[in-house]
């Protein structure tokens, strides 16, 4: 029986973010929270493999009580068990502290029921740091395959997986021993429509909520603000710029506007030199 | 004590990644920003490069030319191809041995994979995708700290992050965010061979096959001329016109995310916060509104020409020059006039 685990995060939908122009901080009110899109694809992939091989799929998140919704969504996609690690003591955790919290939670789950593969999203769209996956993997001593676009094979019997990852210059096929960790690109799997039985299960399902003491007794020095080496020194809105000189086609006619624009552009010596080299 | 400012020298298949040179340039700036402290304390500060690989002595020499005073080089056949675990262990070992103050890594695919693991293994702070780095005072802390500035919340906020009680202070930076320093072929420096034992346990994941795919390798970041198209093109066919202008100007094709999301062009062309950071000599933005996430990726370009029907489009705020008009009229006319000029001067 294969046991797959996905670490998921609930994030504000950054496409809808509004910023308070006075303080430069995010207005959280009214911003919908969603399951991090990359994580959703990771869950979809894990659910596919669970179906294919037969086994179990667990999802885990660290977050506020409301993150339960994100877990519910994972149950809809076929997860069997969901763990919400939630405690005020975790507030203010940066990626180092987050990776500690998740690693210990995963270690606990693994002790009860051996985990073969841990999935992460490529990155969370609120911070875009892509640090938590590698951080948890190194804490657990797992081999790591980042930017995974396809799982070719998971061979439980022989204890390995074949995973394709994407890099700037091409693709790499990686053979990793199990247990292993991966971070997923969206390409790893399409998000399916929820199956009716899973939908019904999810409606009734309540995730397990773990605190900072139970069932894992966390070291307070490694969590929350105290356990986070990085801190925000200041934040604000991006710099504003003066609008550029514009030439209007309506006012100058097409040929005239383009002629003026090209004239100005080529009076810039560096641009002129570039275009000269061209000929 | 020596204050060490470290740069990870990324290499792929025996070639130094240009981001390493950019970071060496930044590291030298950081060192100059603590000159006053050095004078007062009598300490020295050095920029050093960390190179992991196999048979890559040429890369070590190259890094010296871009401003490293010293290179620590770990050479082992196991490092021929990048793998997270052995690279992480090797870097952790070096950091524990030399205790650098600052450690910079390129935010490439490889660098992002590596940096998060190294920072966790050392248990220090890491700030990803920085757009500005400086050494400056923070509160009452005696020594200047690395002030790492980066966009957050989808680019809507710019935040400055510090890591005050842990070293090294780590940061990643995307290619092209900083300029390439001048290469000095006469530069001298030391290359120190470091030994590190790779155990079988570290090799639990291995590369089976590499499939070279040049279509994703446009080199957009390092192009001198880029012509980009956005949602204003209306359809994928519009990119044929963009390509025609790009060819005329000797450039490559870029795009906004909306055009990528629309399926009109491959992600490899995307410019911006979640695409490539570019700084060409000439950037032409066609039918792109200039959302903050697009602007952060291209506003370092030397000369920016924007073509947009909307005179209020925010893209004009970062442009050098704007043409208010329909790109389907303006671009063909531009190509026509450019060709006529070439004809006249030939
Ligand atoms: C977390 C996050 C990350 C993001 N990362 C990126 C990124 O890396 N890169 C990026 O580009 N975006 C990114 N975005 C998306 C960004 O916010 C914008 O949605 C996107 O840049 C808009 O693309 P656009 O300018 O092509 O489209 P639009 O905003 O729709 O603009 C189209 C423009 O075309 C003009 N136009 C229409 N017809 C014509 C015509 N015939 N001739 C001339 N002009 C015309 C219109 O006036 C308009 O200004 C990100 C968003 C988020 C939330
Ligand atoms: N609070 C969290 N709870 C569970 N998983 C997380 C959390 N934060 C990050 N992750 C996982 O780590 C990945 C990368 O996140 P990040 O490093 O924040 O970009 C996400 O896609 C998730 O899979």
């Amino acid at each position: 029986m294969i046991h797959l685990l996905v670490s998921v995060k609930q994030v504000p939908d950054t496409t809808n973010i509004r910023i308070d122009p006075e303080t430069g901080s995010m207005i959280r009110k009214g911003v919908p929270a969603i399951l991090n899109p990359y994580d959703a694809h990771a869950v979809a992939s894990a659910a596919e493999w669970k179906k294919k091989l037969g086994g179990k799929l667990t999802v885990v998140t660290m977050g506020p009580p409301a993150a339960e919704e994100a877990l519910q969504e994972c149950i809809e996609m076929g997860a069997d068990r969901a763990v919400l690690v939630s405690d005020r003591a975790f507030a203010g955790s940066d990626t180092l502290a987050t990776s500690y919290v998740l690693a210990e939670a995963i270690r606990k789950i693994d002790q009860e029921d051996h985990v073969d593969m841990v999935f992460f999203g490529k990155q969370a769209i609120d911070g875009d740091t892509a640090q938590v996956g590698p951080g948890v993997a190194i804490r657990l001593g797992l081999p790591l395959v980042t930017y995974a676009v396809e799982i070719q094979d998971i061979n439980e019997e022989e204890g390995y997986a074949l995973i394709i990852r994407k890099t700037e210059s091409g693709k790499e096929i990686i053979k990793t021993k199990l247990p292993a960790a991966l971070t997923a690109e969206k390409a790893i799997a399409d998000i399916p429509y929820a199956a009716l039985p899973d939908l019904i299960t999810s409606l009734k399902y309540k995730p397990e909520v773990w605190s900072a003491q139970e069932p894992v007794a966390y070291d307070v020095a490694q969590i929350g603000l105290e356990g986070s080496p990085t801190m925000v020194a200041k934040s604000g809105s991006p710099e504003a710029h003066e609008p550029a000189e514009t030439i209007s086609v309506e006012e100058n006619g097409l040929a005239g506007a383009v002629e003026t624009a090209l004239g100005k552009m080529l009076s810039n010596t560096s641009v002129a030199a570039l275009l000269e080299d061209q000929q | 004590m020596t204050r060490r400012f470290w740069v990870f020298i990324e290499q792929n298949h025996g070639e130094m990644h240009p981001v390493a040179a950019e970071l060496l340039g930044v590291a030298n700036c950081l060192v100059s920003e603590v000159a006053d402290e050095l004078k007062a304390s009598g300490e020295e500060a050095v920029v050093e490069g960390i190179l992991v690989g196999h048979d890559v002595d040429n890369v070590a020499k190259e890094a010296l030319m871009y401003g490293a005073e010293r290179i620590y080089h770990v050479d082992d056949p196991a490092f021929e191809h990048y793998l997270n675990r052995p690279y992480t262990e090797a870097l952790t070992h070096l950091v524990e041995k030399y205790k650098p103050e600052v450690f910079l890594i390129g935010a490439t695919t490889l660098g992002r994979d590596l940096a998060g693991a190294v920072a966790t293994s050392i248990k220090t702070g890491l700030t990803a995708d920085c757009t500005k780095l400086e050494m400056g005072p923070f509160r009452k802390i005696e020594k200047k700290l690395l002030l790492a500035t980066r966009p957050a919340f989808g680019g809507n906020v710019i935040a400055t992050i510090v890591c005050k009680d842990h070293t090294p202070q780590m940061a990643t930076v995307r290619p092209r965010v900083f300029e390439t320093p001048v290469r000095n072929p006469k530069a001298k420096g030391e290359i120190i061979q470091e030994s590190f034992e790779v155990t079988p346990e570290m090799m639990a994941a291995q590369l089976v096959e590499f499939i070279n795919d040049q279509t994703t390798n446009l080199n957009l970041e390092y192009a001198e001329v880029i012509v980009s198209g956005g949602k204003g093109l209306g359809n994928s066919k519009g990119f044929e016109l963009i390509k025609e202008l790009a060819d005329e100007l000797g450039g490559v094709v870029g795009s906004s995310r909306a055009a990528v999301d629309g399926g009109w062009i491959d992600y490899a062309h995307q410019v911006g916060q979640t695409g490539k950071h570019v700084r060409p000599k000439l950037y032409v933005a066609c039918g792109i509104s200039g959302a903050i996430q697009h602007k952060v990726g291209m506003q370092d370009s030397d000369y920016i020409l924007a073509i947009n029907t909307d005179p209020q489009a925010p893209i004009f705020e970062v442009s050098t020059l704007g043409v208010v008009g329909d790109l389907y009229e303006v671009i063909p006319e531009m190509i026509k006039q450019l060709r006529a000029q070439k004809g006249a001067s030939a």
Side-chain angles (χ1 to χ4, degrees), chain A residues 6-9 36 38-39 60-63 95 98 102 119-133:
Chain A
V6 190
S7 179
V8 301
K9 185 179 189 187
N36 182 41
Y38 295 102
D39 303 358
V60 60
T61 192
M62 178 192 90
T95 53
T98 302
L102 292 170
F119 294 60
F120 299 87
K122 167 175 94 164
Q123 61 200 49
I125 61 165
D126 54 351
D128 284 330
T129 73
Q131 288 166 10
V132 171

Side-chain angles (χ1 to χ4, degrees), chain B residues 250-310:
Chain B
V252 301
V253 173
S255 80
S256 71
R257 182 157 113 178
V260 173
D261 287 347
W264 302 346
I265 193 157
D266 189 78
Y267 167 71
H269 295 264
Q270 183 180 314
V271 171
Q273 189 186 322
T274 47
K276 301 272 162 53
H277 193 105
V278 301
R279 45 168 71 234
K281 295 204 168 107
L282 175 63
Y283 188 89
V284 187
C286 312
I288 294 178
S289 63
I292 181 78
Q293 298 90 355
H294 189 78
K295 286 195 290 197
V296 294
M298 48 65 80
Q299 63 193 9
D300 293 327
S301 308
D302 292 341
Y303 197 102
I304 299 170
L305 174 71
I307 305 168
N308 199 305
T309 41
D310 174 9

